[in-house]
Amino acid sequence: MPVLVAQAVYLRARALQLPEPPGPRRGQVGQGPTLRLLIIGDSSAAGVGVATQDEALLGQLTGRLGQVATIDYTLIARTGAKTGEVLGWLDDLPERTYDVVVLAMGVNDVTKVVPLRRWLAQQAALVDRFASEFGARRVIVSGLPPVHQFPLLPQPLRWVLGRQAKRFDRHLRVLVAARDHCTAVHVDVALGPHNMSEDGFHPGPVVYAAWAKTICDSIIDDPALLDPARDRP
């Protein structure tokens, strides 16, 4: 335990702090039936690790979906956000309906030692509120990444956080599977210095692209989400 604490303190003091990339976080792109999209979460949702929003999850996803639909998109994200904080944001969101909500968070809950039971309750409240209060037809929950592969983390801290992330992710899959309006997505890409950002903790452009493709495929596989008839009075 003293070794883990020392490593954690050292990393917080010395880790490279990358900025959230510039670019619009609200707008419309594409053509075809309208799809109202919300991406919400932590630094990975914000696109930390790349130079612009075009290379981040938002840009990669709207670029793909814009080929088949008009994407009315909103991005709400902040570096360091935990699930409980994101849940609190819902109280201040303006009233509107989203067709698809993409959740991207969880790593900060692991690194900041949020208890599993509390985290699961917050995740459940989050996905249920998006369905009941914001009319979300589909909530896409991004699974936790393979933290045990993050280049930044030294051993044994990497091993310990990696095991905890896997534990969180197993329970998250069960939670999502119990809800018809939810889908869990996982990016099947091995992480390393070759495809992570320079800080060794956030995705690089290749990983964001693979993540966006996985989400895009999940949306396109549900034809009701892109059915023009649903927009008719």
Side-chain angles (χ1 to χ4, degrees):
M1 196 64 180
V3 172
L4 298 177
V5 171
Q7 288 183 332
V9 171
Y10 176 82
L11 285 176
R12 289 192 183 280
R14 299 295 297 274
L16 180 63
Q17 302 295 316
L18 297 178
E20 296 179 3
R25 297 193 174 198
R26 191 184 302 271
Q28 280 194 353
V29 296
Q31 57 184 353
T34 300
L35 184 77
R36 293 155 294 197
L37 171 70
L38 171 66
I39 300 176
I40 189 168
D42 57 20
S43 56
S44 63
V48 171
V50 295
T52 68
Q53 285 296 337
D54 288 340
E55 295 180 295
L57 178 63
L58 172 65
Q60 302 265 13
L61 183 55
T62 55
R64 288 178 176 275
L65 289 173
Q67 300 177 34
V68 296
T70 298
I71 311 303
D72 182 351
Y73 65 87
T74 302
L75 169 64
I76 303 173
R78 188 175 70 231
T79 297
K82 296 181 292 185
T83 301
E85 296 171 67
V86 176
L87 182 60
W89 296 350
L90 270 59
D91 295 331
D92 298 321
L93 288 186
E95 290 187 17
R96 67 165 300 177
T97 299
Y98 297 103
D99 297 305
V100 176
V101 176
V102 176
L103 306 183
M105 67 200 76
V107 172
N108 292 318
D109 297 271
V110 171
T111 60
K112 296 176 182 177
V113 203
V114 174
L116 174 62
R117 182 171 305 204
R118 182 194 305 166
W119 180 73
L120 286 173
Q122 292 168 346
Q123 287 279 337
L126 196 59
V127 298
D128 290 344
R129 285 187 63 183
F130 271 119
S132 62
E133 298 177 24
F134 297 89
R137 298 155 60 87
R138 178 66 49 191
V139 178
I140 298 179
V141 181
S142 299
L144 274 76
V147 174
H148 64 283
Q149 297 177 3
F150 283 12
L152 171 71
L153 303 177
Q155 298 290 12
L157 183 62
R158 182 191 298 190
W159 180 81
V160 171
L161 292 180
R163 281 180 60 88
Q164 184 72 330
K166 289 180 180 179
R167 179 169 169 251
F168 273 46
D169 193 65
R170 285 197 303 271
H171 287 274
L172 181 64
R173 290 174 187 249
V174 174
L175 184 153
V176 170
R179 289 163 167 80
D180 292 337
H181 67 286
C182 290
T183 302
V185 297
H186 293 79
V187 183
D188 188 18
V189 175
L191 303 182
H194 64 291
N195 58 15
M196 295 284 282
S197 68
E198 59 181 318
D199 70 356
F201 194 82
H202 290 95
V206 172
V207 179
Y208 277 121
W211 186 7
K213 181 181 184 304
T214 303
I215 295 173
C216 181
D217 290 346
S218 174
I219 293 172
I220 292 177
D221 285 345
D222 186 348
L225 291 175
L226 300 176
D227 181 7
R230 67 177 172 78
D231 289 330
R232 295 173 187 164

